[in-house]
Every structure is written in C-alpha cells, then in structure tokens.
Amino acid sequence: MTDEHIEKTKSAIESAENIPADRKAELLDLLSKLKPAIAKVSQTHQEDAQSIARLVEASAQETIRAQKKPERIKRLLHELKQSVENFEASHPQLAAFVTQYSTVLSALGI
C-alpha cells in the first residue's frame, strides 16, 4: 500500500505544470529514496509506514494545486515531520529524506 502512495505522488509531480523542471527532478529523486526507507519501516511498523506514505502524497497534492492553501501545506508537512520523529534514531535516513522533501515542498508551496 505504501508503494501505491509513492507512485501516485511521483505521477502527480511529473504531471504538475507549476513545478520547475529542476525541482521536479529533486522531488522525484527524494521520492526514489523515500520509497525504500518507508518500506524498511513498514517491516516492523506497517501502520506508521502507511501514514507516512499518505502524508507524503497529501503534502505533494496540496503543494501542486493551482490554488494553494499555505496553512494546509504547513500543517501537512508538520504532521509528516512529526510522524517520522519516532523513527529518527532507528531510521535516520527516513528522517533525513523527509526533512529534505518537506523543505523542497515548503519552498514550492508558500
């Protein structure tokens, strides 16, 4: 299920017309790194991994909307960062990738 969310996110970013090509490439690269990191978490924490994947998708969808809602984007990115805090010690790469991903989306959405 987490793969499905990541693939939907990739498709949405690829088709987004309001994201510059260099940012698209950066986001797609981060998603390719997030996918195995989330998969690793799902081996022991399936529900948490699904929640993280859903938040990755929702935050991207909100950011690429034509009519952005900055407060909603901030809230989703905050939830995403909080959701990986529990895994910072055991899965530091996941936390780092989510931080990078959130930073890029934040710059695009506000």
Side-chain angles (χ1 to χ4, degrees):
M1 186 58 124
T2 58
D3 284 353
E4 184 179 314
H5 289 291
I6 298 299
E7 292 307 316
K8 283 183 182 179
T9 305
K10 282 183 179 181
S11 294
I13 290 170
E14 288 170 343
S15 64
E17 294 178 13
N18 61 337
I19 298 178
D22 60 329
R23 290 298 185 161
K24 276 186 188 184
E26 187 176 6
L27 286 168
L28 293 171
D29 179 57
L30 287 168
L31 285 171
S32 70
K33 293 174 182 175
L34 271 170
K35 188 175 178 177
I38 293 171
K40 198 171 195 177
V41 169
S42 74
Q43 293 172 357
T44 55
H45 298 87
Q46 182 65 33
E47 286 182 28
D48 292 318
Q50 286 179 356
S51 176
I52 292 166
R54 279 192 301 270
L55 286 166
V56 164
E57 181 184 4
S59 59
Q61 292 288 346
E62 191 62 38
T63 302
I64 63 176
R65 288 174 49 141
Q67 302 220 347
K68 293 176 180 30
K69 296 179 181 177
E71 288 304 315
R72 180 159 166 73
I73 294 168
K74 283 182 185 179
R75 184 179 54 78
L76 286 167
L77 292 175
H78 178 72
E79 287 178 35
L80 178 58
K81 287 179 184 178
Q82 280 188 315
S83 68
V84 297
E85 280 181 1
N86 296 333
F87 301 103
E88 200 161 3
S90 60
H91 297 85
Q93 285 186 324
L94 174 63
F97 295 148
V98 163
T99 298
Q100 289 176 295
Y101 178 79
S102 296
T103 300
V104 174
L105 284 185
S106 197
L108 289 171
I110 299 172

